[in-house]
Amino acid sequence: MNMLVDGEWRTDAYETTDEEGAFDRQETAFRDWVEADPDAEFPAEAGRYHLYVSYACPWAHRTLVTRALKGLEDAVSVSVVDPYREDDGWEFSPEREGCTADAVAGADHLRERYLAADPEFTGRVTVPVLWDTERDTIVNNESEEIMRMFDTAFDEHATRDVTLYPEGYRDAVDDAIDAIYEPINNGVYRAGFAGTQAAYEDAVTELFDALDHWEDVLADQRYLAGPVLTEADVAMFVTLVRFDAVYHTHFKCNRRRIVDYPNLWNYLKELYQLPGVAETVHMDHITEHYYRSHADLNPKRIVAVGPDLDFEASHDRDRLTGGPPEALLD
Ligand SMILES: N[C@@H](CCC(=O)N[C@@H](CS)C(=O)NCC(=O)O)C(=O)O
């Protein structure tokens, strides 16, 4: 697979599985933090930070959903890469539907932005990336941290009074994010990219055990951390919304579909219908990326057409205590 090694683009450089055939995800490299403090190294300011995303990528999608729920669209600008990732890695194709140019520097490839931040960079060139236009560098490329920064550092620039990491629920939010990461968010990748039957079966078993668990929790609890909408729900949403169209078929996570789980399916529809969220879901980019970019899994690169999913259909979550913050009830 492709990555930068000492600033050079290499197409032969990394293995996606370890010796046991299990999918191995690389640690992220840029871990600075935007703060709500004008004296901070990276102070939260409107118009200063730029987000590089792919609409296909669930990790990038978390940051887009958080930005939308908070109403940070005017404060943080976005560039969208081409969903089809080939030998050159993420690329800008402004002529394609839903894609944009690199609005900061006019780069052709995302790797140029990594090299602008660190000419000797070694690592994968991933989305999302939070870029600081003032210091001309990458602040952070870890979605969980970008989501937290948008949620906690940018309140002054948000057009909606929404807190996704509310006091009193913070431990529950952190616990839920941790609990879903390995079996669910990363679990679908561990199933899809497994190099052995055993590694695949382990991942699928853990994945569906975890989905079964949350199906039970959501029977009488509105959201993952309790009665309030939180970052944990954003993290869960981006995997669930891709599940039936991509993970079920392309990654062989086919024990059940999300539509077969009444509580998860209704929960997914509720989240999809929150203001601003539907606009972040680009199913055409999602399906094209997965089915066409992984030639080892799908050598003919044929994109599966189904299923038809009605995320706009009514849901039953209002039967439970709690609900979205007032600012999201329009
Ligand atoms: N830990 C990162 C993971 C991001 C990630 O793996 N993004 C994928 C797209 S879904 C990517 O850009 N992959 C490019 C590559 O691996 O070369 C995060 O959560 O932000």
Side-chain angles (χ1 to χ4, degrees):
M1 293 281 275
N2 317 327
M3 65 185 281
L4 286 166
V5 179
D6 299 330
E8 295 286 319
W9 183 247
R10 299 259 304 267
T11 53
D12 57 355
Y14 87 90
E15 291 293 329
T16 51
T17 52
D18 65 17
E19 323 67 68
E20 265 96 52
F23 174 57
D24 217 4
R25 186 175 286 281
Q26 179 204 261
E27 287 286 314
T28 24
F30 296 93
R31 309 299 282 270
D32 284 311
W33 207 269
V34 177
E35 294 170 72
D37 168 4
D39 297 324
E41 190 183 359
F42 297 98
E45 286 170 17
R48 171 166 175 166
Y49 298 95
H50 187 76
L51 186 63
Y52 289 103
V53 298
S54 158
Y55 284 144
C57 169
W59 315 104
H61 197 182
R62 298 165 162 202
T63 66
L64 283 174
V65 172
T66 308
R67 173 177 173 266
L69 291 173
K70 303 275 296 183
L72 288 172
E73 287 91 341
D74 292 339
V76 180
S77 52
V78 170
S79 294
V80 182
V81 296
D82 192 317
Y84 184 43
R85 197 181 72 222
E86 250 206 305
D87 287 349
D88 276 332
W90 294 117
E91 191 170 337
F92 294 97
S93 309
E95 68 289 350
R96 292 205 55 194
E97 177 79 33
C99 304
T100 71
D102 165 11
V104 176
D108 292 324
H109 298 97
L110 187 63
R111 65 172 189 264
E112 295 163 44
R113 308 309 290 142
Y114 273 74
L115 291 175
D118 175 3
E120 300 299 315
F121 181 73
T122 293
R124 287 163 47 214
V125 172
T126 57
V127 283
V129 171
L130 187 64
W131 182 270
D132 177 7
T133 61
E134 187 104 359
R135 287 178 177 249
D136 247 341
T137 194
I138 295 175
V139 182
N140 195 300
N141 68 338
E142 172 56 47
S143 59
E144 200 173 310
E145 295 180 356
I146 299 172
M147 175 166 71
R148 178 72 42 91
M149 280 180 243
F150 283 176
D151 190 27
T152 58
F154 284 84
D155 278 344
E156 202 189 317
H157 311 289
T159 60
R160 286 203 191 96
D161 182 14
V162 169
T163 297
L164 299 167
Y165 193 48
E167 299 280 357
Y169 289 94
R170 293 188 163 184
D171 287 345
V173 176
D174 289 334
D175 289 349
I177 290 175
D178 275 358
I180 65 173
Y181 175 79
E182 207 44 74
I184 298 178
N185 301 133
N186 198 38
V188 292
Y189 284 89
R190 285 167 49 226
F193 292 135
T196 62
Q197 185 71 30
Y200 161 71
E201 286 184 20
D202 283 351
V204 168
T205 304
E206 267 184 56
L207 166 65
F208 283 95
D209 285 352
L211 290 174
D212 292 349
H213 165 76
W214 290 105
E215 171 70 9
D216 286 349
V217 170
L218 291 171
D220 44 31
Q221 181 175 299
R222 183 112 176 203
Y223 302 109
L224 297 198
V228 291
L229 178 77
T230 70
E231 290 171 17
D233 302 299
V234 176
M236 184 66 136
F237 172 76
V238 298
T239 298
L240 296 185
V241 81
R242 286 163 174 72
F243 202 96
D244 291 358
V246 171
Y247 303 143
H248 178 274
T249 306
H250 183 60
F251 281 173
K252 305 189 184 79
C253 299
N254 62 353
R255 190 162 267 162
R256 273 180 289 283
R257 301 165 305 170
I258 299 305
V259 292
D260 301 323
Y261 285 105
N263 298 317
L264 285 168
W265 173 232
N266 277 287
Y267 165 83
L268 170 57
K269 284 184 290 186
E270 182 192 3
L271 298 179
Y272 182 90
Q273 292 167 26
L274 291 171
V277 173
E279 291 77 6
T280 68
V281 179
H282 295 258
M283 215 37 109
D284 52 342
H285 281 221
I286 291 171
T287 53
E288 169 168 356
H289 168 69
Y290 283 95
Y291 287 106
R292 294 195 63 220
S293 301
H294 306 140
D296 44 343
L297 298 187
N298 190 26
K300 297 217 158 75
R301 301 182 202 263
I302 290 168
V303 181
V305 293
D308 286 332
L309 297 163
D310 190 2
F311 296 120
E312 311 267 5
S314 59
H315 65 80
D316 67 0
R317 303 302 289 165
D318 288 327
R319 70 189 165 81
L320 297 167
T321 308
E326 199 110 315
L328 292 174
L329 299 170
D330 25 61

